[in-house]
Amino acid sequence: MKHKHSHDHGHNHDHDGVFGEKTELYFAILSGVFFFIGLFIEKFTSLSEWVPLTNFIIAYFFGGYYTILEAIGKIRKGEFEIDFLMIVAAIGAAYIGSWGEGALLLFLFSLGHALESYAMNKAKKSIEALGELSPKMALVKKEKDIVEIPIEDLKLNDIIVVKPNAKISADGVVIKGSSSVNQAAITGESIPVDKNAISSTVDLPDFNDISENNVVFTGTLNGDNIIEVQVLKLNKDSTISRLIRMVNEVETQKSPTQLLTKKFEKWFVPTVVVLVITLCFAYLAIDETPKESLYRAISVLVSASPCALAISTPSAVLSGIARAAKRGVLIKGGRPLEDLGSLTTIAFDKTGTLTEGKPRLTNAFTLDGFDKKAFLSMVLDVESLSNHPLAKAISKDIKTQYDIKGNNLASEIQAIQGKGIKARYDNGDVYIGNEELMRSQNIVISQEITSQVNELLQDGHTVMLVAFNNKLVGMLSVMDVPREAAKNTLKRLKNIGIEKMIMLTGDHQNVGDSIAKQIGLTEVKGNLLPEDKVLAVQILKQEYSKIAMVGDGVNDAPAMANSTVGIAMGVAGSDVALETADIALMSDKIESLPFVIGLSRKSKSIIKQNLWISLGIVAFLIPTTLLGLASIGGAVAIHEGSTLLVVINALRLLRYREI
């Protein structure tokens, strides 16, 4: 796994000062306020000199406070960067009486710094959100009693009791009872999985080798029946803890351009320092007073402080982030904003991202001339007695799609675990379930029906046969259907140059293939567990160098963390996905994707323009101040101008419209 560097603008320490975590931002704003008050008094009033001077000195304090902390922190590590230059330039300006220019420098610099660090740093929260998933307590069977204990105290082979609709508190094997468990949080499967007790707990195989129908995971949601689970993994080894560790290993990072400007500063700053120190002694070589030499040296120092350069990327990044926020898209920092614009491959999770994440009734056929209305009415009566999620989906869709009310003629419903259900209906027996259930009741299934069932299964449907009075009378199928907007969104992505769109899913390959056909994906990888998704993302990343991963569940968090840019679908997404992702679509609308990619490309081009402006100005100012062609006031004015120009250029992003 490639480690991403932590995102610090030198900001790893928490700045919880007087105003809490926003202190740095408020200090920068106060610095600006005092600077402008001082400037106004100096230019437009005849008050004595010490009044504006006092304001400038206060501006120095607020603007320089965190800059000094930063510079000291870096000098200790042997790094002399732009913070150091700003401090020296400000001290120099004060020394020769140019307090206003120094205050302006510090204000602009501290504002750029503060805004950037305030907008980022959310990595810690992802871990907290993941932790929330697993329940805090577990009910453990001790001889005849059931005791509630913290999950940290669970031991291997403890027996826990899981109540209906409660979260399961350990990875383990079901040893008593049967239920359907919603595993979407871990595996991303859209349809709850039937779980039943393992036949014998003697000589249990390895956890990974036990059949899926007997195993449960921490953080998944039990259905309507009580089950007892034997704990096979300690809390620290559970699936969810592994996910937490995976997410933990990957943090947000700076944008590529910021990293580049950092590199540039690394050699540029020492060069300037050497040049300025040399210039202080210019009077030894040329005919001028020490004061003139010092004045020139400080002018060069001011003009060479790459202020515009320091603010060029953060200002564009922030404008991009603000523009996205208006559209309900949360972008966490410069790296994802820049990276997204340069990639051509996107991987999607299926459930809840490209599909609705809810099973829908897709077919209801009758056989042998059985009346369709009578068939649907019977199925509705029987299924509405069941609490199984599929039964609920079928009842709801029969009511809405076929406008059938039902006659309440069904009774004595019983679930036949792993096969289906049985009920009494109008003095006869109804069976709804798989082929195995029909065979166990000696109901004849013709070759024709078997091939019809297989065809539907191939297309990714879950199929149920319906028998009444020992005769097959019909067939139902349900499926997690594509979102309405998915097809159009993928088409737009293709039009803006996204070449590969790949679906990664925990569902079966044929479910994936069927959806891919309907919405126009280029490739599908099915039957993937969270770890497999991570591996798939890593392989795709090697192949295409950059890849975005779009998902909504916790199970996607590690895959997102491993992708170049992780994009979480909003409201339906778990907190973790929102926190782990680099970009979160808050409105749960996949339609926002083309907008974000377009915005990212625009941001990239504005960042480039800003770099040219800021470097161009520095390249122009250094020789002019060196040759004494510009005064310190002129240098600061041009400086100021270029910084404002860069910021104004960046603000164009706030008006970005999708083409």
Side-chain angles (χ1 to χ4, degrees):
M1 184 186 295
K2 196 177 129 204
H3 284 267
K4 300 182 181 176
H5 311 294
S6 68
H7 172 100
D8 66 337
H9 194 80
H11 282 264
N12 270 348
H13 40 84
D14 291 323
H15 291 333
D16 281 357
V18 252
F19 303 117
E21 57 185 48
K22 294 186 188 170
T23 305
E24 191 175 2
L25 188 59
Y26 293 145
F27 268 34
I29 293 164
L30 283 170
S31 168
V33 168
F34 284 106
F35 164 70
F36 285 114
I37 292 172
L39 194 66
F40 182 81
I41 292 169
E42 189 178 61
K43 297 274 185 271
F44 302 107
T45 68
S46 52
L47 290 169
S48 92
E49 262 173 44
W50 64 265
V51 183
L53 182 62
T54 308
N55 279 293
F56 289 147
I57 291 171
I58 298 171
Y60 256 67
F61 169 74
F62 284 119
Y65 182 74
Y66 282 111
T67 317
I68 284 186
L69 285 188
E70 215 62 68
I72 291 170
K74 284 183 185 158
I75 290 165
R76 280 200 180 127
K77 285 190 260 173
E79 295 171 6
F80 290 88
E81 287 185 20
I82 191 168
D83 332 71
F84 174 71
L85 267 196
M86 302 313 282
I87 295 294
V88 176
I91 292 169
Y95 181 71
I96 57 172
S98 305
W99 285 91
E101 286 88 339
L104 174 70
L105 276 182
L106 287 178
F107 159 57
L108 287 173
F109 186 72
S110 61
L111 185 68
H113 228 210
L115 283 174
E116 191 193 359
S117 65
Y118 168 65
M120 323 313 173
N121 285 352
K122 299 232 163 148
K124 275 192 234 124
K125 285 189 185 162
S126 65
I127 316 308
E128 288 155 26
L130 254 176
E132 292 306 303
L133 255 180
S134 37
K136 304 279 170 280
M137 306 294 281
L139 293 171
V140 179
K141 241 179 158 174
K142 302 266 181 176
E143 281 128 33
K144 294 208 169 85
D145 296 337
I146 292 178
V147 194
E148 191 172 31
I149 66 167
I151 61 168
E152 295 77 34
D153 299 347
L154 282 175
K155 295 183 192 66
L156 290 178
N157 299 324
D158 273 354
I159 307 296
I160 57 170
V161 176
V162 186
K163 291 185 169 173
N165 304 315
K167 276 188 182 169
I168 294 168
S169 47
D171 283 15
V173 62
V174 182
I175 56 165
K176 191 173 174 191
S178 58
S179 188
S180 68
V181 172
N182 181 340
Q183 300 195 141
I186 300 293
T187 62
E189 286 161 288
S190 47
I191 290 170
V193 181
D194 288 333
K195 303 287 183 183
N196 39 39
I198 197 162
S199 48
S200 150
T201 53
V202 186
D203 293 331
L204 269 181
D206 180 39
F207 183 82
N208 298 326
D209 301 331
I210 300 174
S211 151
E212 196 207 358
N213 295 345
N214 308 128
V215 163
V216 291
F217 301 106
T218 311
T220 54
L221 198 59
N222 186 20
D224 293 321
N225 302 323
I226 271 196
I227 52 174
E228 290 183 13
V229 175
Q230 182 172 336
V231 178
L232 294 186
K233 284 190 182 181
L234 295 173
N235 184 40
K236 63 176 186 337
D237 303 320
S238 68
T239 309
I240 200 128
S241 304
R242 286 213 315 281
L243 297 191
I244 294 175
R245 273 201 298 281
M246 283 179 180
V247 174
N248 218 344
E249 283 173 3
V250 183
E251 293 178 58
T252 50
Q253 102 199 82
K254 287 191 182 124
S255 84
T257 312
Q258 274 166 288
L259 292 171
L260 204 68
T261 51
K262 271 268 167 279
K263 272 187 191 153
F264 172 75
E265 284 170 25
K266 264 200 174 64
W267 64 262
F268 181 74
V269 172
T271 313
V272 170
V273 172
V274 170
L275 176 66
V276 169
I277 291 169
T278 313
L279 287 173
C280 290
F281 299 103
Y283 67 89
L284 298 173
I286 53 177
D287 184 20
E288 61 183 10
T289 65
K291 192 166 182 200
E292 283 166 344
S293 289
L294 186 63
Y295 187 86
R296 185 197 290 111
I298 288 163
S299 306
V300 169
L301 184 58
V302 169
S303 63
S305 299
C307 231
L309 182 68
I311 208 167
S312 62
T313 314
S315 57
V317 165
L318 283 159
S319 303
I321 290 171
R323 173 68 193 101
K326 272 193 186 149
R327 267 288 291 266
V329 177
L330 176 71
I331 300 178
K332 301 183 182 177
R335 186 186 60 76
L337 182 70
E338 273 192 51
D339 279 346
L340 191 61
S342 56
L343 48 80
T344 55
T345 307
I346 301 182
F348 294 89
D349 168 53
K350 177 184 80 77
T351 309
T353 302
L354 294 173
T355 64
E356 290 180 0
K358 295 188 274 288
R360 302 291 293 271
L361 179 66
T362 44
N363 285 301
F365 311 124
T366 55
L367 304 167
D368 293 345
F370 198 90
D371 179 63
K372 179 96 179 231
K373 207 160 181 190
F375 170 72
L376 289 168
S377 191
M378 174 174 77
V379 171
L380 175 60
D381 283 357
V382 172
E383 295 286 31
S384 44
L385 293 179
S386 165
N387 274 329
H388 194 284
L390 288 186
K392 287 178 183 163
I394 290 168
S395 322
K396 182 172 167 261
D397 285 353
I398 288 178
K399 283 181 198 156
T400 52
Q401 288 177 27
Y402 297 98
D403 198 27
I404 285 186
K405 301 280 183 290
N407 312 311
N408 298 330
L409 293 176
S411 62
E412 295 174 39
I413 185 164
Q414 66 188 80
I416 301 163
Q417 199 63 32
K419 294 180 185 171
I421 51 173
K422 172 194 178 182
R424 293 289 291 165
Y425 180 81
D426 204 12
N427 299 323
D429 283 337
V430 179
Y431 288 92
I432 303 178
N434 54 19
E435 291 184 51
E436 234 177 287
L437 176 66
M438 301 302 149
R439 292 209 177 89
S440 70
Q441 300 306 313
N442 299 320
I443 292 162
V444 180
I445 304 172
S446 70
Q447 192 52 48
E448 193 186 335
I449 290 168
T450 305
S451 65
Q452 217 173 344
V453 168
N454 289 340
E455 208 169 296
L456 282 167
L457 289 171
Q458 270 315 110
D459 284 345
H461 300 256
T462 300
V463 184
M464 279 150 282
L465 296 170
V466 182
F468 182 50
N469 288 336
N470 288 345
K471 191 174 163 222
L472 219 48
V473 293
M475 195 189 302
L476 305 163
S477 74
V478 293
M479 189 180 179
D480 184 15
V481 294
R483 283 171 176 255
E484 276 176 31
K487 191 172 182 178
N488 189 27
T489 302
L490 294 187
K491 203 165 142 198
R492 279 167 58 210
L493 288 173
K494 202 172 169 190
N495 292 343
I496 62 169
I498 302 295
E499 292 157 22
K500 290 258 184 299
M501 291 176 275
I502 300 150
M503 182 159 83
L504 308 176
T505 178
D507 257 339
H508 299 293
Q509 185 70 34
N510 46 13
V511 176
D513 290 339
S514 156
I515 284 166
K517 259 207 297 272
Q518 294 172 57
I519 59 176
L521 287 157
T522 46
E523 199 184 323
V524 177
K525 294 177 191 294
N527 300 319
L528 303 177
L529 279 166
E531 292 98 299
D532 305 330
K533 284 189 186 178
V534 171
L535 196 65
V537 164
Q538 287 171 342
I539 291 167
L540 288 166
K541 205 159 128 191
Q542 279 169 358
E543 208 172 319
Y544 303 111
S545 85
K546 285 184 178 178
I547 177 170
M549 168 80 191
V550 186
D552 78 327
V554 186
N555 56 301
D556 306 318
M560 282 183 198
N562 270 272
S563 61
T564 322
V565 183
I567 302 171
M569 298 285 294
V571 188
S574 64
D575 297 345
V576 193
L578 288 178
E579 292 296 348
T580 314
D582 304 303
I583 295 175
L585 312 181
M586 306 305 277
S587 60
D588 200 22
K589 286 203 171 87
I590 196 167
E591 302 91 298
S592 314
L593 263 184
F595 160 78
V596 190
I597 290 171
L599 175 68
S600 168
R601 289 178 178 172
K602 182 75 175 161
S603 307
K604 223 171 146 55
S605 75
I606 281 187
I607 286 170
K608 255 195 194 129
Q609 293 162 15
N610 279 356
L611 284 182
W612 283 113
I613 295 169
S614 50
L615 289 171
I617 295 289
V618 168
F620 163 75
L621 274 179
I622 292 180
T624 43
T625 46
L626 248 180
L627 302 169
L629 302 174
S631 68
I632 195 166
V636 168
I638 294 173
H639 218 206
E640 206 180 312
S642 70
T643 306
L644 286 175
L645 187 62
V646 158
V647 173
I648 289 163
N649 191 35
L651 292 178
R652 290 194 303 137
L653 279 171
L654 292 173
R655 311 235 313 266
Y656 173 76
R657 293 268 175 283
E658 217 173 327
I659 296 141

